[in-house]
Amino acid sequence: MKDKKVVFMGTPSYSIPVLEMLIENTDVIGVVTQPDKEVGRKKVLTPCKVKEYALEHNIKVLSPKKLREEYQEIIDLNPDIIITCAYGQIIPEELIYAPKYNTVNVHGSLLPKYRGGAPIQHAIMNGEKETGITIMYTDKGMDSGDIITEETLEIKENDTYDIISEKMSKLGAKLLKQTLPDIFNQTAPRIKQDHIKKTLAPVIKKEDEHIDFNNSQEIVHNKIRALSSTPGTYALLENNRIKILLSEKTDKEAKKEPGTISEIDKDKIYVCCKDKEIAITKIQVPGKKQVPVKDYLNGVKKEKLLNKVLK
């Protein structure tokens, strides 16, 4: 496959294992990522992880602001195939079909479930017991193209986004490597999706990060682990935005108003949900780093927290 010219399109660190595999097995002639973003309080213009990785390997990088208007330079590279993985913009039809083998996407769900930009987060949030990787042909719709192959991955009760994301990124690289020979031989299957069964996984918005303790323990726990460690869920404590990054389910029945801090021990803060209490084990307070609750409590008077309400 070393004779096959590939353009890779991806942005977060999640997609690096796929790029790494392509560099080892094909001729990656270009990488397309999202433009550099301002990061931190000083708003330092910072490249994404994929761009950094590509430049380390002396690969040409393109970062169009509006791909729909700025795709000709990618076509001019004359790739045999375009591979996408968590790129972040809709691919215009003119670009999809420009290469000989068209465009193939490594998608983080078992299609047609969870089409969109945040499939892993939504699968965990919804309490799914499994997810997986789909290798698919891209078409002009959102994750609606023909399926080539899929592989399932178990989601355990306390798996977070970070855990599943790492497993999925490696699975995606492995499955794509297995599939590429059939794609290049033009013997890969094309399985039509059942569009009636589709579900959506839109990108997480700021308002999605808020925790409502009026929900059940199950819903609260799933949301916390779905968004850990980035962007993280939050609740307000006396108008301070407290990020909640890890939690554990308990068997304790909630006996106070939802959101009430009912108990504190050396490494957990217990909060009432609609039905049961949930134990918070990792948090981030304004201006500080993410820390285990045990470390946070070292500098806090526990009695001042008891019976406070997270809203």
Side-chain angles (χ1 to χ4, degrees):
M1 296 191 294
K2 272 292 185 181
D3 62 326
K4 296 298 188 288
K5 296 183 294 181
V6 174
V7 164
F8 176 76
M9 303 179 71
T11 298
S13 55
Y14 167 81
S15 54
I16 286 177
V18 172
L19 175 57
E20 182 179 30
M21 183 280 294
L22 290 170
I23 291 171
E24 290 174 356
N25 293 277
T26 68
D27 179 15
V28 179
I29 58 172
V31 167
V32 183
T33 73
Q34 295 281 54
D36 297 355
K37 289 188 175 181
E38 294 179 342
V39 174
R41 292 181 180 178
K42 295 183 179 180
K43 297 186 176 180
V44 178
L45 206 59
T46 305
C48 68
K49 295 299 183 182
V50 166
K51 181 176 180 178
E52 290 178 347
Y53 189 84
L55 292 175
E56 286 172 6
H57 289 79
N58 300 311
I59 299 171
K60 181 181 181 68
V61 176
L62 301 173
S63 300
K65 288 185 178 179
K66 295 182 179 179
L67 185 65
R68 286 187 178 276
E69 301 171 6
E70 304 173 63
Y71 57 81
Q72 187 59 49
E73 192 173 359
I74 303 169
I75 293 176
D76 291 343
L77 292 174
N78 194 29
D80 293 308
I81 192 170
I82 294 172
I83 304 292
T84 65
C85 179
Y87 168 57
Q89 291 192 51
I90 294 173
I91 315 295
E93 198 169 354
E94 295 87 346
L95 184 57
I96 290 171
Y97 300 110
K100 177 180 179 181
Y101 301 101
N102 301 152
T103 298
V104 168
N105 182 35
V106 182
H107 184 71
S109 79
L110 300 173
L111 292 171
K113 294 185 72 173
Y114 298 113
R115 295 179 182 177
I120 300 174
Q121 293 96 324
H122 283 278
I124 297 172
M125 212 179 299
N126 290 340
E128 298 282 3
K129 302 302 181 186
E130 65 178 25
T131 183
I133 290 288
T134 299
I135 309 295
M136 57 172 289
Y137 284 106
T138 301
D139 67 8
K140 63 181 180 180
M142 184 178 67
D143 300 321
S144 58
D146 293 346
I147 294 168
I148 302 171
T149 188
E150 294 182 323
E151 187 165 332
T152 300
L153 179 73
E154 180 188 6
I155 303 176
K156 298 178 182 177
E157 186 174 276
N158 290 310
D159 280 346
T160 63
Y161 169 79
D162 290 343
I163 292 170
I164 296 299
S165 178
E166 183 177 357
K167 290 180 179 179
M168 292 273 276
S169 63
K170 293 175 181 177
L171 178 60
K174 183 198 82 169
L175 195 56
L176 179 63
K177 183 179 179 180
Q178 293 173 355
T179 308
L180 278 176
D182 290 339
I183 293 170
F184 293 138
N185 291 333
Q186 296 183 308
T187 58
R190 282 183 171 270
I191 304 165
K192 298 291 182 185
Q193 293 190 44
D194 185 347
H195 301 302
I196 295 174
K197 294 181 179 179
K198 76 174 182 181
T199 61
L200 301 180
V203 172
I204 301 299
K205 298 178 181 178
K206 288 284 185 184
E207 54 265 32
D208 299 326
E209 299 167 22
H210 179 251
I211 285 288
D212 183 355
F213 289 97
N214 288 294
N215 287 312
S216 68
Q217 179 200 74
E218 182 79 14
I219 290 173
V220 171
H221 178 62
N222 287 346
K223 191 167 193 177
I224 291 169
R225 64 194 184 100
L227 303 186
S228 180
S229 60
T230 181
T233 60
Y234 78 91
L236 297 178
L237 179 61
E238 297 180 327
N239 294 320
N240 290 314
R241 186 178 169 124
I242 309 297
K243 281 204 170 187
I244 301 167
L245 301 155
L246 286 177
S247 62
E248 295 176 1
K249 292 159 71 175
T250 76
D251 293 327
K252 298 180 179 181
E253 297 295 326
K255 296 180 179 178
K256 297 183 179 180
E257 174 190 352
T260 303
I261 297 174
S262 59
E263 184 183 345
I264 299 171
D265 64 23
K266 64 178 182 179
D267 56 3
K268 296 181 181 70
I269 295 173
Y270 295 86
V271 181
C272 294
C273 300
K274 180 181 178 181
D275 51 356
K276 295 182 180 180
E277 294 184 2
I278 193 163
I280 297 171
T281 59
K282 188 175 183 180
I283 64 171
Q284 183 178 17
V285 298
K288 302 291 184 179
K289 294 181 179 180
Q290 299 180 7
V291 294
V293 162
K294 180 180 180 181
D295 294 345
Y296 165 72
L297 291 173
N298 285 336
V300 174
K301 291 183 178 180
K302 297 179 183 178
E303 59 272 17
K304 287 190 175 182
L305 285 176
L306 278 173
N307 296 315
K308 297 288 186 182
V309 180
L310 290 163
K311 297 181 179 179

